[in-house]
Amino acid sequence: MKKLVYLLVLTSLQFINATDDETVKDESKLDKILNEHDWQKFAEYEQELSADSEDKSVDENSNDEEFGSLLADFGRNFNSLPLLAPNGFSCYSCEAPNCSHPHVCAGASHCYTASVRDAHGEEHFSKGCTNTHAFVCKTESYDGRHSHQKHGHSAQYSIQCCQGDMCNENAEFPELEPVPVVEKEPVPSFADQNGHILKLLLAVICPVAILGLLVIVILMIMRYKHNKRMEELNQVDRQYQEEMVGLRAQAAGDSTLREIFDDSMTSGSGSGLPFLVQRTLAKQISLRECIGKGRYGEVWRGVWHGESIAVKIFFSRDEASWQRETEIYSTTLLRHENILGYIGSDCTSRNSCTQLWLVTHYHPLGSLYDHLNRTALSKVETLRILLSTITGLVHLHTEIFGTQGKPAIAHRDIKTKNILVRADGTCVIADFGLAVTHTQTTGETNIPQNPRVGTKRYMSPEILDMSMNMQSFESFRRVDVYAFALVMWEVTRRCMSHEGVEDYALPFHEMVAPDPGFEDMHKVVCVDGFRPLIEERWEEDKVLSGLGRLMRDCWHENSSVRLPALRIKKSLMKIAQLEPKLGLEMSE
Ligand code: ADP
Ligand code: MG
């Protein structure tokens, strides 16, 4: 805009034909010409002057002190203007600032009379010739905001034109509008600038800070909840273990960890390490490889004090199972050679995730399910497996009375995958996540609040048709017996006789899909009344036929007809007598 304003005025005035003071070399000569009104002579005189003045215009440019001075532009430019047409009007011509030395110009299409106010506010007057009236003859008022801003007021001009020889001679100089006051644009103060920067910073920093704060608060809440949960879990653990600390405080005295552990293994009271030792268990164990994946967690082989141990890591959603197993394993007098040896429980925090650990003895042969899949069995091996398992179940089912008594425990998830095989071929019962306890004196049956249900394939008819009496602990025992009968069937199939051996198979494998639903099992077991097939081969063998009869008695539809665990054990021992080698072993 600044340039535009300047350019407009400059361009307009470029075509004004006039001479400056210095071009009037001989004033008397000019006066004479003017007095005589000899316009021909005047034109010649003008031409002469123009030729002289051309050289000077360059020098004068450098004298212009200000870009914005209108009159300087005016004076500088008309010296270099082209000569006007010789047949135009002659005009009265005088020079700004005060038009005091008039002379005559010729060949103009218009004569003009100009008033110009410069950037300093001073008015200047001039008259002369023009051939470009369209550009020149006008009145303009600039607000000066841009082109003369630095002076604080504007430049204005009014140029009036007429046609006719010397028509501008007596013309009054046009009046200019009053000077518009140009308000200088307010320069923002330092404080204002700071204010803007501050606002900008606030606009950026505030949301970031709020977001950051929010994240910190959320993290703190999560951390708090996590710590609280850990504390709760520790509390649960402590509950079951506190009495044991008292029991084994003596042993803990100067003993090494290993000694404490050995002592706890042989003490016979409860199971697992002293509680305080358990709290540091996870830190002392290095996990090696995953050896089992159940529906509720993973089982790892780990190394603790140079020995292999098994670590069952529960998914945090199955906290109930971890609690239950910890509780059951902590039961006094539970320790038994046919119950998986318990070392301790720990809840650790890994990457802010709660990990629930249950540490037990490690059995390299793995589960009975794996073992049966791998190998066929001799009769001795078969009976060893069955006898040891039922011995474990008898111990579980039996309540021991006295101050250091043991409640009756029903497992509720007996199956070959929850029975582990020891190196000597005997078995231990594992996975107590669903177990229920019962104490006769109080008549109380403690059923865990656990969304987990038993394995559908092993569910007894009374569970499947929902006729089971949950109030009676005996019902739970009978459910275990039914499941044990199916285990017997799986094991017996793998027992070699003269007639050979069957491949490993899961119960009802030919009747239901690999992961049967409740309805499928109900139809097969309750509606159709199917039971696993007693193979013909078994009938040819005293031991196997004995086992066949026993399992029939144990999976009876009527739960009250099923044999109690102790009776099964006795029957199995009788069958074992038929095997001289095993009979010898048992009598030792
Ligand atoms: P879940 O509750 O997930 O069923 P389990 O306690 O039944 O967990 O263990 C799952 C599997 O892990 C078992 O079937 C077995 O193969 C393996 N396993 C568990 N404990 C041990 C152990 N102490 N030694 C060796 N293998 C084990
Ligand atoms: Mg299991």
Side-chain angles (χ1 to χ4, degrees), residues 291-299 310 312 314 325 340 360-364 366-367 370 415 417-418 420 430-431 452:
I291 51 172
K293 261 188 189 159
R295 198 167 288 190
Y296 306 97
E298 289 177 353
V299 181
K312 185 165 169 180
F314 291 75
E325 271 206 89
L340 177 60
T360 61
H361 291 180
Y362 169 66
H363 297 295
S367 69
D370 296 330
K415 58 177 177 178
K417 285 183 183 172
N418 285 339
L420 304 173
D431 195 352
R452 176 179 166 184

Side-chain angles (χ1 to χ4, degrees), residues 11-133:
T11 316
S12 305
L13 297 179
Q14 207 169 10
F15 298 96
I16 298 171
N17 184 17
T19 57
D20 80 1
D21 288 355
E22 286 180 37
T23 60
V24 185
K25 287 180 177 173
D26 188 346
E27 283 184 22
S28 56
K29 187 180 174 187
L30 182 63
D31 285 344
K32 194 167 166 253
I33 293 169
L34 288 174
N35 285 338
E36 286 170 9
H37 290 256
D38 186 345
W39 305 120
Q40 189 54 44
K41 274 186 186 167
F42 177 75
E44 285 166 18
Y45 177 70
E46 285 282 276
Q47 276 186 5
E48 198 183 308
L49 278 181
S50 299
D52 283 349
S53 63
E54 261 178 34
D55 302 331
K56 293 179 183 173
S57 63
V58 179
D59 295 338
E60 283 176 14
N61 282 346
S62 58
N63 290 335
D64 280 342
E65 38 150 54
E66 279 186 308
F67 176 79
S69 170
L70 234 99
L71 288 175
D73 302 334
F74 186 93
R76 180 174 61 238
N77 287 292
F78 64 49
N79 281 333
S80 57
L81 294 177
L83 283 176
L84 300 172
N87 51 352
F89 300 115
S90 297
C91 303
Y92 188 87
S93 173
C94 62
E95 190 58 23
N98 48 18
C99 211
S100 55
H101 299 292
H103 52 264
V104 175
C105 55
S109 69
H110 289 74
C111 301
Y112 73 84
T113 308
S115 300
V116 175
R117 181 178 284 129
D118 69 11
H120 300 281
E122 278 172 32
E123 284 192 42
H124 302 268
F125 308 104
S126 60
K127 292 187 179 184
C129 297
T130 178
N131 271 341
T132 52
H133 69 282

Side-chain angles (χ1 to χ4, degrees), residues 142-161:
Y142 298 103
D143 69 359
R145 189 179 292 276
H146 301 289
S147 79
H148 299 284
Q149 198 173 24
K150 59 183 172 181
H151 302 298
H153 45 76
S154 77
Q156 294 172 293
Y157 69 87
S158 178
I159 301 169
Q160 288 177 356
C161 295

Side-chain angles (χ1 to χ4, degrees), residues 574-587:
K574 264 197 188 154
I575 295 170
Q577 306 290 342
L578 302 170
E579 275 298 308
K581 200 177 164 201
L582 197 74
L584 199 73
E585 248 179 52
M586 290 196 310
S587 62

Side-chain angles (χ1 to χ4, degrees), residues 407-456:
I409 299 170
H411 187 281
R412 292 174 75 210
D413 199 12
I414 291 286
K415 58 177 177 178
T416 45
K417 285 183 183 172
N418 285 339
I419 296 166
L420 304 173
V421 184
R422 285 211 296 231
D424 66 358
T426 58
C427 288
V428 294
I429 299 173
D431 195 352
F432 292 89
L434 267 183
V436 292
T437 59
H438 175 77
T439 315
Q440 226 175 58
T441 40
T442 55
E444 189 189 318
T445 303
N446 181 347
I447 303 170
Q449 293 301 305
N450 191 342
R452 176 179 166 184
V453 289
T455 309
K456 295 183 190 81

Side-chain angles (χ1 to χ4, degrees), residues 314-327:
F314 291 75
F315 299 137
S316 52
R317 68 179 146 87
D318 198 34
E319 188 187 314
S321 288
W322 175 81
Q323 271 194 27
R324 193 53 175 175
E325 271 206 89
T326 300
E327 188 179 2

